[in-house]
Amino acid sequence: MTRWAKAPDFADQPARQAAVRAQTVVDQQRYLEDGLTPLRCQACDAEVRVRKSSSRQTSVQWAENPATRCPVFAELSAKGYGPGRPDTCERLQKTIKWAVDEGLLEVPE
């Protein structure tokens, strides 16, 4: 049986397979955790982790479902909107801007 995959699984090369798996762990750490700064929304006290990759790009990871803490997301959830619609709220954006202005959140140049 022929299987198609976007990337080879290297099943016939155990050493290379192990190296790919190890690099995947490193990549996950770098993209999902490194450089994230804990921050609490000044409006609702929701806890998030934020990384600014540039002045225009912001990554936000919520510690919990946003609808459990943030009234903006709670209202959207009650109306049937799913996660990521919208991707943030204006109050959190203001908190992030404040953190940047105060030097609590670094923005690479």
Side-chain angles (χ1 to χ4, degrees):
M1 176 169 115
T2 304
R3 284 184 30 184
W4 180 88
K6 247 183 167 175
D9 65 6
F10 301 113
D12 59 338
Q13 301 173 47
R16 189 163 184 190
Q17 189 178 48
V20 168
R21 286 183 179 150
Q23 186 60 48
T24 299
V25 169
V26 170
D27 290 343
Q28 286 177 329
Q29 174 74 30
R30 180 174 54 213
Y31 292 114
L32 300 178
E33 297 183 28
D34 289 352
L36 289 165
T37 301
L39 191 63
R40 288 196 176 273
C41 178
Q42 293 173 328
C44 68
D45 205 37
E47 182 182 346
V48 296
R49 295 184 331 150
V50 181
R51 174 179 49 233
K52 293 289 291 176
S53 297
S54 71
S55 61
R56 299 180 79 183
Q57 198 282 329
T58 305
S59 298
V60 176
Q61 288 187 357
W62 291 80
E64 59 187 326
N65 180 340
T68 62
R69 187 73 74 151
C70 175
V72 172
F73 280 99
E75 181 180 341
L76 290 169
S77 180
K79 291 179 179 178
Y81 290 92
R85 303 215 187 331
D87 56 355
T88 191
C89 82
E90 188 176 307
R91 296 169 184 168
L92 180 60
Q93 287 177 324
K94 286 180 181 179
T95 298
I96 293 169
K97 182 183 179 323
W98 169 84
V100 169
D101 292 346
E102 292 296 315
L104 303 172
L105 193 57
E106 189 176 316
V107 181
E109 292 190 29

